[in-house]
Amino acid sequence: MVEATEMKAANHDTNSPAGEQRASERANILARVREALSVAAPADHGEAAAASSIPAVLPAVGATFEDHVALFQKNAVELRAEFKVVNDASDLVAELKRLAAEAGWRQVATHRGELTDAVCPALGLPTVTAKSGADKRELERCDAGITECDALVAQTGSVVVTSRSAGGRALSVLPPHHVVLARREALVAGLPDAFALLRVRYAANYPSMISFITGPSRTGDIERILVLGAHGPKRLTVLLLATPP
Amino acid sequence: MTVTLFIPCFVDLCYPQVGVSMVRILEKLGHKVVCPDEPACCGQPAFNTGYWDESRAVAEKVLDQLKDAEVVAIASGSCGAMMKVFYPELFAGSKHEAAAKALAPKCYEFSDFLVSKLGVTDLGARFPHKVTFHDGCHGLRELHIKDAPRRLMAQVRDLELVEMKETVCCGFGGTFSAKFPAISTAMGDVKISLAEETHAEYIVSNDSSCLMHIQGLLDRQRKPIKTIHLAEILVQS
Amino acid sequence: MSAPAVQFHHDADRLATDLRHRELVHTALSKYEVKRDEMKARFQDWQGARALAAATKRKAISQLDRHLEQLARGLEARGTKVHWASNGRQACAIIVGIIKARNARLVVKSKAMTAEEIHLNEALEHAGFEVVETDLGEFIVQLRGEAPYHIVFPAMHLVRGEIRDTFATKLHDAPSDNPEELTMVARRVLRQKYVEADVGITGANFAVAETGMVSVTENEGNARLTAALPKTMITLLGIEKIVPRLEDLALFLPMLATVGAGQLISGYNTMYGGPRQPGEADGPEEFHVVLLDNNRTALLADAEQREALHCIRCGACLNVCPIFRNVGGHTYGTTYPGPIGGVITPHLRGLQDWKHLSYASSLCGACTEACPVKIDLHHHLLQNRRNSAAAKPSWWQKTAFKFFVPVANRRGLWKLVTRGGRLGQRLHPLIKGSRLDPAYCWTKTRELPPVAKQTFKEWWRQRK
């Protein structure tokens, strides 16, 4: 019976222009949805009455900046990400230089931004800047991608980037090492705070991509054994600037 | 209190000692025990197979038998779930709906009855053996009974309870065991392995239907571990 | 029996006695169980989270029409093309059409159960495109020509040696059976594919009505790359993936990861609302979202089981299901195996052909207890049984239960059964466990309990 319906629908498609079909299938689906919903579902299992708020059920986060730093640190260790609080812009440069020397970076990628502009040139390395028309193969050859972020989430150890704040989509995932530069106020307690921050910042016009990055790229698809760097970065370093630049 | 016993068909036929133990325990506690003379099946086999009309035909009899009961103590968590949880659904919209809804709150699985309704945990029993406990899924997840049998066992002299590593179905599932015997058997084997890891002499449960399945496998595999219903332990001194 | 039922019984009988398979599943899932329980314990109120998630999904589905329109409006406002497909054929035709119009050849794809459901890869290959699965597990099963074994862990049934052999045969690159080295082989191969691909296809775990976004959960970064590098991005999702507000993801993302993989949150949770926007450095020039019905509205029309559309495809019910653990994912022959598959497949693909999945359960309820959105899974299996028996009763079962009624209800007949049982018990050893045994399905592996010398009721009457 299912087959027969599909056949009919398929025949119908070939006879009608694509646009018309799209419009009619939209109407068909919505009509079926409305028809189905005309019969009310039985009462729930009492959850509506029991439901509290999202922050109240999620893992506890602590109250102070220090609590949040400690929680982010704990999560980062568990996720095998690297996290460091640095005092000022010069410490940030020193830390980046240390990373560059240690890993032998030959070329890095970054984007235009207040923080990145302030520290990346000091590395003195060939730098690819993510911008319209940049070559993805070039980006792929970089040893590290250095980006800013919108938020760090203490609760989960996540870094929130968007296509607008972190140099598009590929920069934070294509190079083998992702280095995140975060301002003090970027550190938020929990996931609800991060979404609230995104709403305040972008509600009028959301970027095309918002990504919550938690730890380096990972897989457990072979015998549930953790391997880092499945497709994305093998290393994730988060540097939190304790004072404004 | 006058306690009406519900002795399911298979307990009547194969495990009368479970019912006898229940009678002795309740009488020792000073209650009057009554039990309908007529045989009784709760209707679960037909219900679980999807034949609700046929299930209702059997279950109507149970409603009738128990309509005057003050409280009902049931020898199996599975039949208890049928009567307490599924009867109201089975009879919804029928002329027996009110009777089903009236019966449900009066029904108790036996261990739950002792602990929750009577407030009794120490029956003065002694059972000098190492045991493990199997939670029948219907008792555990439909009736939410987990602590009652353990509280009762905790008061049994010389009984050592060793819990299994996982809480998992024994694979009986009523007609499931006949429709999918290979899967049912595999699940039973997993259960038995878990029980064996505890080095217990007995697998105790508050559900004779699970024990029937487990014992059936143990007998075929000639394994020394034995099964016993909780009521049979509580009656020993 | 329907053909799918015959296949299920056949494969189940084989795998249920396969001790190596049982051990493999047990080992894989026991690691997961430890992490899952650890993460659940981190929630301040896990049961409260379940209640909230269930209530949120109920709200989403109870106004599905409004939410879908809102989703489409939001996506279209950012330049996304939204397509509506009533069934799998339409969805495949739409996707093939998009790719053809771009003169594309190579398609990279990140894991999407919806694509499995509509056999998208076959349709794309049939149309002459090269399709590469990029999730490691999916990549492995694609190389082997297999279906995913599990909706979250596609290659859970394979050990490293088998994967090495697959890589050696298909990629001519298998340095060892070390999981890390094997993963790096896949990384090298797939990196080239991302860069070369013209089209990227993803699934989605959620769709946010309010802001017009799809949300994709993954750990490897493969979906991120699929959505970043090709010029055209296509996302295929079922219409039930809706959540009303962006903030709802703050609840669903950690819950999905906790019960799905034993992580507090997955590696990458990414919301996409459109193609590259003005001022953004990169991203696809075109973004297409294909909304798929494929009989989801039929399930929606069953008010009693509508909540099965709350499913977030976390796989938690599979992981705890003792049947799944003993027969494995392939035995089901469905896109969605385990308890949720037993509930929804009869709605998606026909009740009479797939009702056996609703019967293949001991109704233990472990699934319902595990479900993060509180779907009453094992009771829905019962409802499918009731509906299938009402629509098409099996004459012998109906007769058997009809016969059982008077027997169970009358003392005289019950007495006969008792006596018959005692007599039968004496004769039974002659045929026990043989094909002549009417109780063969039980006695093949189990002993029957002896009928008591005195039944309880006999004792009771005598005592009185």
Side-chain angles (χ1 to χ4, degrees), chain B residues 12 27 38 49 61 142, chain C residues 359 378 409 443 457 463:
Chain B
D12 181 46
E27 286 181 347
E38 297 289 306
T49 312
K61 176 81 179 283
E142 302 292 351
Chain C
Y359 282 98
H378 69 299
N409 278 357
T443 55
K457 300 265 160 127
R463 187 170 187 255

Side-chain angles (χ1 to χ4, degrees), chain A residues 212-237:
Chain A
F212 285 65
I213 299 171
T214 311
S217 157
R218 60 193 55 227
T219 187
D221 275 347
I222 302 176
E223 292 186 12
R224 312 293 318 128
I225 291 163
L226 177 69
V227 177
L228 298 182
H231 294 278
K234 295 174 191 177
R235 278 181 81 181
L236 174 68
T237 305

Side-chain angles (χ1 to χ4, degrees), chain C residues 342-359:
Chain C
V343 172
I344 66 175
T345 308
H347 293 268
L348 300 181
R349 297 175 71 176
L351 179 59
Q352 294 306 329
D353 279 351
W354 296 94
K355 64 184 177 190
H356 59 281
L357 297 182
S358 297
Y359 282 98

Side-chain angles (χ1 to χ4, degrees), chain C residues 36 40 46 50 259 314 316-317 320 365-373:
Chain C
R36 175 199 62 196
K40 267 163 75 169
W46 176 255
R50 289 178 76 212
V259 292
C314 65
C317 62
V320 299
C367 48
T368 302
E369 194 176 70
C371 178
V373 290

Side-chain angles (χ1 to χ4, degrees), chain C residues 7 84 103 126 149 153 236 241 270 329 454:
Chain C
Q7 175 260 316
W84 302 72
N103 288 320
H126 185 72
Y149 179 89
F153 316 127
L236 170 69
K241 294 285 184 205
T270 311
Q454 186 181 39

Side-chain angles (χ1 to χ4, degrees), chain C residues 72-80 277:
Chain C
R73 264 200 313 276
L75 283 164
E76 282 161 354
R78 257 176 256 109
T80 308
Q277 300 294 294

Side-chain angles (χ1 to χ4, degrees), chain C residues 42-64:
Chain C
R42 290 196 192 174
F43 280 67
Q44 293 177 79
D45 180 2
W46 176 255
Q47 292 308 327
R50 289 178 76 212
L52 203 50
T56 307
K57 273 306 243 183
R58 183 172 291 264
K59 195 156 79 188
I61 296 295
S62 68
Q63 301 177 348
L64 185 59

